[in-house]
Amino acid sequence: MANVAEKKLALCHFWVAFAAFGLAAVMGLYQVVERSGFFGFLESREVYYASVSTHGVLMGFVLTTFFIMGFGYYVATTTLKLPIWNVSFAWGGFALSLLGVVLAAGPLLTGNASVLFTFYPPLMAHPAFYIGATLLVVGSWFWCVSMIVMYAQWKAAHPGQPVPLAMFATTGNAILWLWTSAGVAVEVLFQLIPWALGWIDTIDAGLARTLFAWTLHPIVYFWLIPTYTAFYCLVPKQAGGFLFSDEMARAAFMLLVVFSLPIGFHHLYMDPEQSHGWKIVHAIGTFVVTLPTFITGFTVIASLEIAGRLNGGKGLFGWIAALPWDNPMVLAIILGLLMLIFGGFGGLVNASYAMNAMVHNTAWVSGHFHLIFGGTTIIMYFGIAYYFWPILTGKPLFSQSLAITQLWIWFIGMIIMTTPWHILGLLGQPRRIDSVNYNNLLVLSWEPYEAAMIFGGAILLASSALLLYNLYQTQVGSGSFEGEVEYAEPIHPVGALPAYLNGFKLWNIVIAAFMLLAFGYPILQFFFMETFGSGRWGV
């Protein structure tokens, strides 16, 4: 297959994603500089919150959604050996999503949508922002439909055969996104848009936050599954080895899809609208979702060890040195796993009811989020981009050494920026504030950490520029490249699989039961209980 149409489709999605990333990176540096209080002429509350909101939307919704769609389309066509189902439909989803981004950009950049990427009411944005965000999500549903249809077509043509692992994960992610985006879709359609248009005078902020909690944590796994797909399906091959276990990978993906959904209330631990009982239920679910992470850590490291030993590595740790550290994708996973260890520890603190109370709404949360998002998810997006770009453009990567440098710089910058963030959180610095210049002894002690964060932010911006420069030069460069995506083979060939490791019918029923249990009463209560003022809350 020449995959010309599919390459163009994937590349357009990737460029939108990385254009958003570049703009968001500039805003990120501005924010750490502005809130430090070191540069008075830059201080502006209005610009700061407009920047924070735009940065969050670009990183959390635009970069991720477009990257995941582009990645998914190309994974689908190369694993299933099928053309994209209804290319016009796929382009329609792209156009709708892009229209949504353009529509939302106006209010964001003019300060009329400074509601953060969580758009929590009673903060209100211009209606165009909510409508634009809705179009972005609806456009992504086109991608979900495409993935599910192609998956079904292949299964119908290959009865009883294992679905290729990368496509199995991608279809699971499409199903996960349909489930998780339903919460924010209901919030925006039935609360925020009518409210912003003046059709209703007020909305129930507690219900809105509960609906957003439906989406808020599973969206992290929507972002993460392409990274895990690369962990399992691309990295072992690039490292020179095999996947340790196809079955364990499928189990991890299935556990992620099922258990990442009914756990959002750990974002509401300090909120009054839900009772302690429901929060404990969600806390237990949050700890369960660490299981697929541990499975992934074990399986991926085992796969890397296989590669290292095949490359000649000896002894207990000699295989690590034998890995191809000059391969961008391999380096990305090594650095990403290191940051996942530290970020994962912070996640356990956040998930714990009592410890969460100590760090709630402090800078710790921002540090943890950036370490997981930028440190594990986004660095692997970089590795995927360096691998895919020559294939999609038909031209060799402009500079592999520059790619290696960029990844190391990103890792160093992320550590320098997020470590002070964690410390400041433990010292009590609030998050989501535009200034920390309070002129007292406590805040003065924060200055070295603020300076370190600026340094880290500058390094990250430099790394971002190197990435975009390398990708752009590859796109416009000379020479030709012929190659196709190579997926890792399991060290033990996959035989017959049980239906629950090769399909989603059972798991959709399980998800529906979990969501009904986890969110049924917590949402319904708002419709038959007085929820304004100091009335009855929760059970």
Side-chain angles (χ1 to χ4, degrees):
M1 290 178 62
N3 294 335
V4 175
E6 288 78 9
K7 288 177 178 176
K8 183 178 180 182
L9 182 65
L11 202 56
C12 287
H13 280 81
F14 282 153
W15 268 122
V16 173
F18 284 117
F21 166 76
L23 180 58
V26 174
M27 293 181 174
L29 177 59
Y30 161 75
Q31 287 152 35
V32 293
V33 171
E34 196 275 352
R35 73 195 298 271
S36 71
F38 297 155
F39 307 94
F41 64 95
L42 282 176
E43 293 185 21
S44 168
R45 181 167 300 166
E46 292 76 16
V47 175
Y48 176 81
Y49 284 112
S51 171
V52 169
S53 300
T54 307
H55 172 84
V57 169
L58 288 175
M59 287 289 195
F61 292 119
V62 183
L63 161 65
T64 50
T65 304
F66 276 90
F67 184 91
I68 291 165
M69 290 194 294
F71 181 69
Y73 281 128
Y74 208 66
V75 164
T77 195
T78 51
T79 56
L80 304 182
K81 311 298 183 189
L82 291 173
I84 293 297
W85 172 76
N86 198 336
V87 174
S88 299
F89 182 79
W91 279 111
F94 172 81
L96 197 60
S97 295
L98 189 59
L99 174 63
V101 172
V102 172
L103 197 59
L108 280 168
L109 295 174
T110 56
N112 291 306
S114 299
V115 295
L116 311 180
F117 94 100
T118 51
F119 29 99
Y120 281 150
L123 296 173
M124 181 196 285
H126 191 279
F129 169 74
Y130 297 126
I131 295 170
T134 301
L135 293 179
L136 170 59
V137 172
V138 172
S140 71
W141 289 348
F142 283 47
W143 170 80
C144 295
V145 171
S146 293
M147 295 300 98
I148 293 170
V149 169
M150 291 184 69
Y151 160 84
Q153 285 178 333
W154 191 92
K155 283 205 74 172
H158 303 80
Q161 294 186 29
V163 177
L165 179 60
M167 188 58 195
F168 179 79
T170 300
T171 307
N173 204 23
I175 292 171
L176 170 67
W177 181 235
L178 287 173
W179 274 102
T180 191
S181 58
V184 70
V186 170
E187 179 196 3
V188 171
L189 286 176
F190 294 102
Q191 288 192 292
L192 300 183
I193 290 178
W195 180 48
L197 289 172
W199 296 347
I200 54 178
D201 293 330
T202 184
I203 60 172
D204 190 323
L207 175 59
R209 291 176 68 87
T210 300
L211 289 171
F212 200 85
W214 174 303
T215 299
L216 186 53
H217 204 75
I219 196 175
V220 173
Y221 297 96
F222 172 62
W223 302 335
L224 193 59
I225 284 182
T227 291
Y228 276 19
T229 304
F231 281 9
Y232 285 115
C233 304
L234 300 177
V235 170
K237 182 70 176 180
Q238 292 297 302
F242 298 89
L243 173 62
F244 175 72
S245 170
D246 181 284
E247 291 85 351
M248 288 181 69
R250 288 172 194 269
F253 283 123
M254 197 56 74
L255 288 168
L256 278 176
V257 172
V258 173
F259 288 104
S260 68
L261 281 157
I263 62 173
F265 281 11
H266 68 255
H267 292 275
L268 302 179
Y269 279 165
M270 301 302 123
D271 283 33
E273 65 268 21
Q274 299 297 342
S275 73
H276 296 306
W278 291 112
K279 292 172 183 174
I280 290 172
V281 169
H282 282 242
I284 294 170
T286 304
F287 281 104
V288 171
V289 86
T290 60
L291 179 60
T293 303
F294 286 129
I295 293 174
T296 298
F298 174 81
T299 307
V300 170
I301 292 173
S303 301
L304 289 174
E305 182 176 354
I306 292 170
R309 298 201 181 281
L310 288 173
N311 293 338
K314 305 292 184 184
L316 190 59
F317 298 112
W319 60 271
I320 298 176
L323 291 171
W325 289 66
D326 59 346
N327 182 304
M329 185 170 286
V330 175
L331 180 62
I333 191 175
I334 293 171
L335 301 179
L337 285 175
L338 285 174
M339 290 186 277
L340 178 62
I341 292 171
F342 296 111
F345 170 77
L348 293 175
V349 172
N350 298 342
S352 305
Y353 199 111
M355 288 191 286
N356 183 286
M358 293 188 295
V359 298
H360 178 71
N361 254 344
T362 69
W364 168 283
V365 178
S366 306
H368 162 74
F369 177 79
H370 281 77
L371 190 55
I372 287 290
F373 181 75
T376 303
T377 302
I378 300 304
I379 198 171
M380 208 61 214
Y381 286 10
F382 298 161
I384 293 170
Y386 287 132
Y387 180 54
F388 271 45
W389 232 253
I391 296 168
L392 298 179
T393 62
K395 297 174 182 176
L397 185 65
F398 172 68
S399 172
Q400 181 159 320
S401 61
L402 191 63
I404 295 297
T405 303
Q406 184 266 324
L407 292 169
W408 275 111
I409 291 177
W410 183 263
F411 171 73
I412 293 169
M414 192 58 70
I415 295 298
I416 292 176
M417 189 180 75
T418 58
T419 302
W421 233 338
H422 282 86
I423 296 171
L424 285 169
L426 295 176
L427 292 175
Q429 185 188 84
R431 66 168 175 156
R432 292 172 173 168
I433 55 173
D434 65 292
S435 173
V436 293
N437 188 16
Y438 296 146
N439 294 322
N440 64 47
L441 290 177
L442 172 63
V443 176
L444 284 174
S445 71
W446 295 349
E447 284 190 348
Y449 302 108
E450 295 288 346
M453 289 178 62
I454 293 174
F455 185 50
I459 294 174
L460 289 172
L461 180 59
S463 175
S464 307
L466 289 180
L467 169 84
L468 296 177
Y469 176 73
N470 208 351
L471 297 182
Y472 174 74
Q473 288 297 337
T474 301
Q475 180 96 31
V476 301
S478 57
S480 63
F481 177 89
E482 292 185 5
E484 194 47 271
V485 178
E486 294 181 309
Y487 295 95
E489 296 291 333
I491 194 165
H492 300 293
V494 182
L497 285 172
Y500 60 84
L501 286 181
N502 200 37
F504 297 94
K505 288 181 181 177
L506 169 66
W507 299 115
N508 273 305
I509 296 171
V510 173
I511 291 170
F514 275 159
M515 295 303 280
L516 184 62
L517 173 67
F519 284 95
Y521 184 84
I523 290 176
L524 285 176
Q525 65 172 334
F526 292 101
F527 295 93
F528 58 79
M529 295 176 71
E530 176 58 61
T531 55
F532 300 98
S534 57
R536 295 165 294 173
W537 291 95
V539 293

